Every structure is written in structure tokens, then in C-alpha cells.
Amino acid sequence: MHIFSIRIQLMFHTLLEELSKVKIPLIGRIEENENQLINTTIFWKNFHWDTMKYKKSFFHWLRRKESVLLQIQEKTYKEILSKKERNILLEEIENRLLKVEFLRNVYNIEAQKIDPTIQIYYSQGIDIYNKAFFWVTKKDIGDHNIIQECPIFENIYKKSVLLELIKYSQSICPEIQFKFWKYPNFSHSAWVLRIPNQKYYNLQNIITLFFHEVTHFFRSFNGERNMGFKFQFAGYSSLEEGIAIYNEYLYGNKICNYGSFIPYYNICIKYLLQDVSEEEKKENIYQVLSCKGFSRERSLQYYNRFYKYCKLWETHLFLKDLIYYNGYKNVKKLIRKDSHNYDAIMAWDIGLEELQANIVDPYNNYDYKKYFRLMTKRIKEIQK
């Protein structure tokens, strides 16, 4: 029975590794990414040849991906697997097939809008992400606003302090890479943490970088250490953002000297759900976003972003914010229920279903608790 169980695990691992190589350019579930996909499918491409030729090439690429997915699906049905492993694999395959279909449909519609006789627009050097999602650009969030008094954090540090912290971080874990970029948001991809290139940073920026963004790094890093390959499950987003915010709370509260640390997006949600007038909500949102350097005008546009999607989802919350908010609540419940869930969530880019199925053993996790503990101590030292 034990040998049979090992064989099932090996086959599950083999099929999952095959699936990991079928990369579709869409992260998470389709409904989480529809807006992003529509904005990037066509207009972020730099066309060097005929539009129809490019379209045919893209469709051919999609057909190849679909063919490989169907082959893996057939293997999943044929191989001896437990019900748990088979269901997880089939759900991941189905999700990728839906992405292929969605890309095919959206790309076909968008491609028809293009006049092949004109030069194609693409986003090189343009801050599309913030324009599309936050209505702000680097120009709007300039250094002149960064040093305003903040109702949450008043401590402001020069870039040289951040560089020292980065140097210290790399002495603990050299695998974490940092890069400054022109956009005003922190980000993480391919094990590189991207930082807004500013003259000043407040304490909230520092906590976000070394605990929220680094959490994203460790989830991916641990996944490869534990399984030998990278893979993001379709439902990973909620736990991904939830555990990142959990670590912001956990270590932010250890660092803060003036009350409870709360990430700005959670405060925005709290204020938007209050039973107060619109004017009070707008003022509260501004008080929060001024920490990020937002002018009053730009904070109002950020506020309106929530109402822009109100008609679509009957809520004042943009879908990404719901992932943050609900993800944190789910993670907090899971860890309260069983403290071992913390290590399991940090072990791979898994979702709730994979966590409950216990498909990954966190035995080979990097010692991220030591990293967070040392960074907490060093950040507290810079405040003295």
C-alpha cells in the first residue's frame, strides 16, 4: 500500500511538472484577469510585420498549447491516481484550456480593430499599468509629495537608508534581487523585487517591500525548493495576497511605535464600507493615500475607481482589492485553526484547495522566519 501511494505521488508530480511547462500568459483565474488581458493582448505588442500574419502566428501558438494540454488531460484520465490528485490536475488543465479559449476570442476581436496600414501602438516607456488601474503616473506621485505628514507613518528616510537595508537583506538571502524602476508601485516577478525610484521612502514603504513583496518571493522560491519546478495554481491568488498582508500586519506591528500597522488598501476598504457620507469617505481616503504621495485630486480619482466597478459587481471594491481583503481574512482563519498552515501556505504558490489536499510538504522551506526576524530587528534600529 505504501509503495502504491508513492507511485501515485510520483505520477502526480510528473504530470504536474509537464503541466508547468505549458505556460499561458495569464495569471490566476480568468475572472481575476479579464481587464488586464484586454489591455495587454494586442496593444503591448510591437508589430514588425503584417497584422494578419501576426494573428495567424499567435493562433498557431495557441493551438500548440491546446494540443499539449489535451495530451496531458488524456494521461491524467489513464494513469492510476487518487481522486484527490486527479481532480486537482483536471481542474488546472481545464483552467488553462479556458485561458486558451479566452485568449483566442479576445485576440480575435481586438485584432479586427487594427488597421494594418497604420503604425501599431505599444506601451514601451509608458506607464500603462497605473494609467489603467490607478489613474496615476510617476509624475502624479512626485518626490515633492512624499514627505507630507502621514496619519499612519511620519518617519521619512532617504534612499541611502533603503539601499543599506537592501544590502543587509542580500547578506541574509542573496537570492532576493532588487531593482529600481520608474513606476510608483512595488512589484515582484521572476524573483526580482521592483521598487519605485524615489528620493524618500516612508516606513510603510519599507514594511511593504521587505515583508509583503518578499513574501511573494519566498512562496515562489520555496515552491521550487520543495517540488523542483515552478508552478502557480489557478486559485493561488487569494492565499498569495492574504499571506503577504498577514506578514505585513505581523511584522509591521512589531516595528511600529505608534499603534497598529494596517496596509493602506485595507484601510481604504474599511473606510469605503463605513456608513458615513461620501464626503467623509473621500476625506478619509485622502488621509490614507497622502502617505503614498497622492494629491487630493488624485486620491479622489482613486476613490472613484471603486465606484467605476460598482455597477459591474454591485460593490464599491475593485476585484483586486477583494482578493487582498478576503485573502487576508482566509489566511488569518487558517492560521488560527492550525499554526502549521502558515508554513504550508509559504511552501508553494498553492490555493486553498491544494492546501486542504496537503499536496506539498514544507520540509525544505527556506528559513524565511529568520529572514523576517533579522529584517525586523534592523528596521527597528534605523528608527533610533
Side-chain angles (χ1 to χ4, degrees):
M1 182 68 183
H2 180 63
I3 295 174
F4 183 72
S5 178
I6 291 174
R7 182 185 170 191
I8 288 176
Q9 287 295 318
L10 286 172
M11 180 51 62
F12 174 70
H13 186 280
T14 300
L15 289 170
L16 196 60
E17 188 170 10
E18 283 186 40
L19 191 56
S20 73
K21 297 172 185 176
V22 189
K23 297 182 185 296
I24 311 295
L26 193 60
I27 299 172
R29 296 188 183 277
I30 288 171
E31 59 267 25
E32 295 171 9
N33 293 274
E34 184 172 347
N35 239 2
Q36 181 184 1
L37 183 93
I38 291 170
N39 286 335
T40 60
T41 303
I42 285 290
F43 299 109
W44 283 26
K45 302 292 183 183
N46 184 7
F47 288 84
H48 294 292
W49 52 73
D50 178 78
T51 305
M52 292 308 296
K53 183 178 179 182
Y54 190 94
K55 179 180 173 181
K56 288 177 182 177
S57 175
F58 182 76
F59 279 9
H60 182 64
W61 178 88
L62 283 177
R63 281 196 297 272
R64 290 200 308 270
K65 295 288 183 181
E66 187 175 40
S67 175
V68 175
L69 286 169
L70 292 172
Q71 289 172 24
I72 299 173
Q73 187 180 59
E74 186 178 359
K75 287 182 184 178
T76 301
Y77 279 114
K78 286 183 177 179
E79 295 293 345
I80 299 175
L81 292 165
S82 71
K83 183 178 179 181
K84 175 184 69 177
E85 275 86 5
R86 179 175 282 109
N87 287 343
I88 287 172
L89 283 167
L90 289 175
E91 184 176 346
E92 292 301 314
I93 293 166
E94 178 63 23
N95 184 260
R96 279 160 174 74
L97 287 170
L98 284 171
K99 289 177 184 179
V100 168
E101 182 64 23
F102 188 65
L103 275 167
R104 184 187 287 116
N105 291 338
V106 173
Y107 191 89
N108 190 43
I109 293 168
E110 294 298 313
Q112 290 173 18
K113 297 177 184 177
I114 297 174
D115 181 351
T117 64
I118 63 173
Q119 184 178 359
I120 301 303
Y121 167 80
Y122 64 102
S123 66
Q124 183 176 340
I126 299 174
D127 187 4
I128 292 295
Y129 176 82
N130 284 282
K131 182 179 179 183
F133 288 90
F134 293 96
W135 297 6
V136 293
T137 63
K138 185 175 185 295
K139 182 179 178 182
D140 301 317
I141 307 182
D143 294 326
H144 63 284
N145 283 324
I146 288 295
I147 57 176
Q148 292 184 46
E149 283 191 0
C150 172
I152 307 169
F153 296 122
E154 297 175 355
N155 288 21
I156 303 297
Y157 303 95
K158 291 182 179 180
K159 187 176 182 178
S160 58
V161 174
L162 181 62
L163 290 171
E164 282 298 317
L165 288 172
I166 289 172
K167 184 178 179 181
Y168 183 67
S169 168
Q170 291 183 315
S171 73
I172 307 169
C173 182
E175 289 84 359
I176 306 176
Q177 299 299 308
F178 299 85
K179 182 179 179 180
F180 290 93
W181 67 346
K182 62 184 177 180
Y183 303 138
N185 57 296
F186 291 89
S187 180
H188 162 259
S189 64
W191 295 358
V192 178
L193 275 61
R194 291 175 172 81
I195 308 167
N197 192 14
Q198 302 167 176
K199 292 180 180 178
Y200 301 98
Y201 300 86
N202 62 35
L203 188 56
Q204 185 182 25
N205 298 148
I206 290 170
I207 291 170
T208 296
L209 175 62
F210 292 106
F211 300 102
H212 184 112
E213 299 301 335
V214 168
T215 294
H216 293 320
F217 164 83
F218 279 131
R219 284 248 297 176
S220 177
F221 187 55
N222 284 335
E224 187 153 338
R225 284 169 62 96
N226 287 315
M227 301 300 290
F229 57 91
K230 295 181 182 179
F231 191 88
Q232 288 181 329
F233 285 87
Y236 90 105
S237 297
S238 179
L239 293 187
E240 180 77 12
E241 298 302 343
I243 192 65
I245 294 173
Y246 182 89
N247 282 334
E248 279 192 80
Y249 274 90
L250 180 65
Y251 295 99
N253 280 320
K254 292 179 180 180
I255 291 167
C256 279
N257 295 321
Y258 8 75
S260 178
F261 172 79
I262 305 176
Y264 80 90
Y265 28 77
N266 278 25
I267 302 177
C268 288
I269 288 171
K270 183 182 75 171
Y271 284 141
L272 285 164
L273 294 177
Q274 283 181 339
D275 186 18
V276 298
S277 69
E278 285 192 29
E279 291 306 313
E280 286 179 88
K281 288 183 181 180
K282 291 173 184 176
E283 179 61 29
N284 289 334
I285 293 296
Y286 169 65
Q287 291 302 320
V288 172
L289 295 180
S290 63
C291 296
K292 291 175 65 63
F294 280 53
S295 67
R296 188 172 290 277
E297 180 184 3
R298 291 303 175 187
S299 70
L300 177 61
Q301 290 178 333
Y302 187 96
Y303 170 83
N304 288 335
R305 156 192 142 174
F306 293 89
Y307 285 88
K308 178 181 178 183
Y309 292 94
C310 175
K311 294 179 181 178
L312 297 178
W313 288 296
E314 298 182 354
T315 175
H316 294 173
L317 305 178
F318 180 48
L319 188 55
K320 182 71 171 178
D321 298 290
L322 281 176
I323 294 171
Y324 284 149
Y325 187 63
N326 291 332
Y328 171 70
K329 288 198 300 182
N330 288 337
V331 165
K332 189 164 63 170
K333 287 179 183 177
L334 288 166
I335 294 173
R336 282 179 178 173
K337 182 178 179 181
D338 185 351
S339 61
H340 291 99
N341 281 333
Y342 182 86
D343 287 327
I345 293 169
M346 291 291 291
W348 202 5
D349 289 330
I350 57 174
L352 182 60
E353 184 179 351
E354 292 75 42
L355 176 72
Q356 293 171 338
N358 195 30
I359 68 165
V360 58
D361 187 340
Y363 74 95
N364 198 33
N365 275 1
Y366 181 86
D367 192 355
Y368 51 84
K369 292 178 182 176
K370 178 182 178 181
Y371 173 91
F372 288 143
R373 186 172 64 251
L374 291 173
M375 288 305 303
T376 298
K377 182 179 178 181
R378 180 56 64 95
I379 293 169
K380 289 183 76 172
E381 287 173 355
I382 71 171
Q383 299 178 73
K384 295 178 181 178

